[in-house]
Amino acid sequence: SLNVGTIYLAAVVYTQTTLKIYLNGSLVVNETGFSASGGTFNELNFKFQSSSSSFPFTIPTKQALLFDTALSDDECIELTTI
């Protein structure tokens, strides 16, 4: 679980069939049934809404980077290690 007031480093990598999320140097999500076909990404939002909460909240963000190619597992681990 995430704690309010804690700083996290995160990286998200996706292809047309996989989604990986790294948090503070660890791979925490590795979904191989992901589907990202078609569409255009023109907006990046950082919001969290759990199934037990009726109100989403915006996650404060200090820095965001967007790369035009997917980073490797090792690069994501290095990038998100505190």
Side-chain angles (χ1 to χ4, degrees), residues 2-81:
L2 301 178
N3 298 310
V4 173
T6 301
I7 294 174
Y8 295 95
L9 299 178
V12 177
V13 178
Y14 71 91
T15 67
Q16 288 187 328
T17 58
T18 60
L19 172 70
K20 293 182 179 182
I21 300 176
Y22 299 82
L23 190 63
N24 291 350
S26 297
L27 177 63
V28 295
V29 173
N30 187 4
E31 292 290 330
T32 56
F34 181 73
S35 176
S37 59
T40 301
F41 290 102
N42 59 9
E43 187 174 318
L44 187 59
N45 290 308
F46 297 99
K47 292 185 178 183
F48 173 80
Q49 183 172 355
S50 71
S51 58
S52 62
S53 171
S54 59
F55 358 14
F57 63 91
T58 301
I59 300 170
T61 305
K62 293 186 181 215
Q63 183 180 35
L65 303 170
L66 180 64
F67 299 94
D68 59 358
T69 59
L71 299 178
S72 70
D73 290 341
D74 288 339
E75 289 170 323
C76 288
I77 291 168
E78 182 179 349
L79 184 66
T80 62
T81 297

